[in-house]
Amino acid sequence: MSALLQANDLRRHYRVRSGEGFFAPKSVLRAVDGVSLRLERGRTLGLVGESGCGKSTTGKLVLGLVPPTSGTVRYRGQPLPPVGTSAWRGLRRHIQMVYQDPLGALDRRLPIGTQIEEPLSIHEQVSPVERRDRARAAMESVGLQPHQYERYPHELSGGQRQRVVLARALMTSPGLLVCDEPISALDVSIQAQVVNLLLDLQERLGIAYLFISHDLKVVRQVSHDVAVMYLGRIVEQGEAESLFATPAHPYTRALVAAIPTVNFGGGRQRERFLLQGDPPNPVNVPSGCAFHTRCPFATAQCRAETPTLQPLPGGRMVACHRVHEPALGVAA
Amino acid sequence: MALVERAPALTVRRRGPALPLGVVLASAWLALMVVTALGADVLTPYSITALDLKARLAPPALMGGTWAHPLGTDELGRDVLSRLIMSIRMSLLIALFGTLIAATLGTGLGFLAAHFRKAVEQVVLMAIDFQASMPFMIIALAVLAFLGNSLPLFIALMGFHSWERYARISRGLTLAANEQGYAAAIRQLGASPARIYGLHILPNIASTLIVSMTLTFPEIILLESGLSFLGLGVQPPLASLGNMVGYGREYITHAPWIMLAPAAAIVLTTLSISLLGDWLRDRLDPTLR
Amino acid sequence: MLSFAISRLLRAGLTILFVMTFAFVVLRLSGDPALLIMSVDAPPEAIAAFRESWGLNQPIWDQYLAYIGHALTGDFGKSMRDGRPAIALVMERVPATLAITLPALALKIGLGIPAGIYAALHRNSMADRLTMAASVAGFTMPSFVLALLLVLVFAVQLGWLPASGSNGLSSAILPVLTLGTGGAAIMARFTRSAMLEVLGQPYIRAASAKGVTWRTVVTHHALPNAAIPTVTIVGFMVGSLVAGAVVVESVFSWPGIGRLLVSAVANRDLAVVQCILMVIAAWMVMANLAVDLAYGWLDPRVRGTAAAH
């Protein structure tokens, strides 16, 4: 049986000019460099990593907003049509997106009701009355009041705007929702509400989420599976709870160690493992394992050979030469 | 002339309901001009070619003349007021069409550049650079020399004035909207380009475009009247404010009113639009907020 | 800095090529260039010779190359009016144009920049309001109206100066005043807004907060930074000197390029029109180039991005 979403060996390279002028040398930025993903119906895949690691680009590739340099994306077994074609536009009703900045994603000059109806105006021939009824139903399902139909985006709070974006995305009953940092622009008090709404909608409607975030706590809360990206590659992938409980890759361990927790004493002392410095420039990725410049366990092999994703017992996938070393054992 | 856009507003920036006096006067003058242009056929006391040989070079009523010719007559005895009214209509029409052509052309090219990127965008950008690097007056003179003059051609030519301003604005704002904003979101909903540009981007940038039109409109009046003044714009028997001034210049020593009346109309009209434009820019233009 | 200069030079060359191409295309649009450029009563042999010389019997691409070749050597054909080479006709008018435009430029800079700085430093004073009112007039009053008003006052009413012609210094005064005062008002407005923008920057407040005297703040921090946008507008004015002279030279019957252009357009003397088009384009391009290079010199950031790699 084919997965809802299947991405194979996606690569997206950009030619960039390092500097200005006609004679600036061009180099290649490998934003995404060999990423494979699989997502089943009604499940959530969390995609985490520092900013600039290529997780947003992966999201755009999955949406078909940018064409991959190489690799394929299949939705329900069918490859994505080229961007801008009418087949591509037709597929939009099945794959929708939720944005980091809901105000930016909404047209400031139109009342939100009109904007929530827009997917229907685009994809379905329905009467204005039915459009309106369905928009109100969608508003209700995301927790908006019917009287807010005539409001403008700037009259709503951040959380309400994100609900508008969600309602709009839900109008055509999509099978997959790509959420790119959907809550990081919201107040902390609102974040939990939106997360709960997402979980609730998934339970009711069976939507699959590709949940892109740098916030590991939230990813842990919403995801069934998690993929960790570093400089365009997936370095670790697996079932969410076990990955957060026993991270295997040194980079994942560092990220998990950095999750703020409240420790009331008595509990297991968490390992202290902080990341040194910033990620390297993605135009100039280090040789071998890209993480070796910041990894305390790096060896000569790490500097020379690029590790590939290898399965561990229990279905976990890790790209690290030293993952089997006793000193770094999973059960550390 | 792109630099002109950034000049600060002259009027004191007020947001209250009270209109600045300058804006009220400017609006009143422009309303008068629009009524004059629309009602020109009814308002003219005489035909613009009617000769009154007994009252040649009659001075205006306030300079010792009679109310038969409130603004005096020229050396053929033609009524200056009547000619002024027809000239106002002609100059405003040319400026209106010119502005609309420039706005449409520029906005369209800006959309094309932002939509297709790559080669199309490079061509548009080169054309913008070229347009901005040559004084348009000179280009207009060259085109008039090469192609000859006729009213439709002249209006079309005025429509090429400052199109690059609209192309810059629409390209820049479209790119911004595509990059992270609402346009990308609507595209991702599956909307066709016609829907994205017509229903979303155009309404969003309309206020900026309208403010730019208040810059283009007086510029075209000045350009048209300059060319007509030189005898290279609107050709007789049609009259525009510029060629009225050009004609009146011959009589500057003993009948300066022939030239002063249209000159005042030009200055007051361009001044009024500029004042109104500054005020509108403060209130409308979201990019300045 | 070098690659910055080279890329600007390439752009300049490209603009010139664009203008030539523009003239070529528009001329072809208008019909047979041989018949347009030669006078109607030119002998058939002369027309045939012209066609041969400009490659008009060749394919359009060869015509284009021949045209560019001719243009680059300054050969635009002969004037219809007196049969002299267009380039000679144009070049002999250059001094007269410079004789009024350069003093006008000096007036714009010498009057406009100090007025703008003064207005900015004394914001909302009477002088500031006057400057701003004058600049609005400078924007909205066409030069021919200003010219005629000056004629009306100084030549007709007062009789101090000649209304037109080119007899010595006195007849140059009104053209220079017309060109200079409008430009000075615009110049003042830009200088003022550049100064105000700089004076509002945090580093200015920081400098005054440190206890540096206001005079030092202005001379050491505000003026050098305000100079950068001001250079742009000066460059723009230098570039449009000749273009601005078209109307004014015609009003005052001043024998410069501008008046030549107007009469050439009126008589459809296309060789002369093309030649003037190229001269003005070359002048504009050089002015822009000078501004770009001055920018690089004044603003380390421009240099910096170019030299960063």
Side-chain angles (χ1 to χ4, degrees), chain B residues 136-147:
Chain B
F136 188 71
M137 178 92 174
I138 301 299
I139 295 186
L141 282 170
V143 171
L144 289 173
F146 292 152
L147 299 186

Side-chain angles (χ1 to χ4, degrees), chain B residues 113-130:
Chain B
H115 187 76
F116 290 105
R117 308 301 303 267
K118 301 197 172 86
V120 177
E121 185 174 35
Q122 289 310 314
V123 170
V124 172
L125 286 177
M126 275 168 85
I128 290 175
D129 271 358
F130 169 66

Side-chain angles (χ1 to χ4, degrees), chain A residues 13-27:
Chain A
H13 299 172
Y14 292 98
R15 288 183 152 278
V16 289
R17 254 194 203 143
S18 42
E20 274 185 18
F22 286 141
F23 308 109
K26 288 197 173 171
S27 27

Side-chain angles (χ1 to χ4, degrees), chain A residues 111-133:
Chain A
I112 61 162
T114 314
Q115 303 199 50
I116 292 172
E117 286 173 12
E118 186 142 25
L120 288 187
S121 319
I122 296 168
H123 293 291
E124 294 177 31
Q125 307 290 328
V126 294
S127 70
V129 178
E130 188 188 340
R131 275 213 299 267
R132 200 177 166 95
D133 289 345

Side-chain angles (χ1 to χ4, degrees), chain B residues 8 129 133 145-146 249 270, chain C residues 11 30 136 140 189 250 268 284:
Chain B
D129 271 358
S133 67
F146 292 152
R249 146 191 174 204
T270 51
Chain C
R11 270 177 87 107
S30 60
V136 173
T140 53
R189 184 175 187 152
S250 300
R268 301 194 71 183
M284 283 291 298

Side-chain angles (χ1 to χ4, degrees), chain B residues 98 101-102 105 131 136 155-164 220:
Chain B
I101 294 171
L105 179 74
Q131 174 92 10
F136 188 71
I155 292 177
L157 185 60
M158 294 300 102
F160 276 86
H161 175 264
S162 83
W163 63 268
E164 87 278 6
I220 293 186

Side-chain angles (χ1 to χ4, degrees), chain C residues 163-190:
Chain C
S164 69
S166 56
N167 304 312
L169 202 60
S170 61
S171 41
I173 292 177
L174 285 184
V176 169
L177 274 183
T178 308
L179 286 170
T181 45
I186 294 169
M187 190 76 235
R189 184 175 187 152
F190 277 104

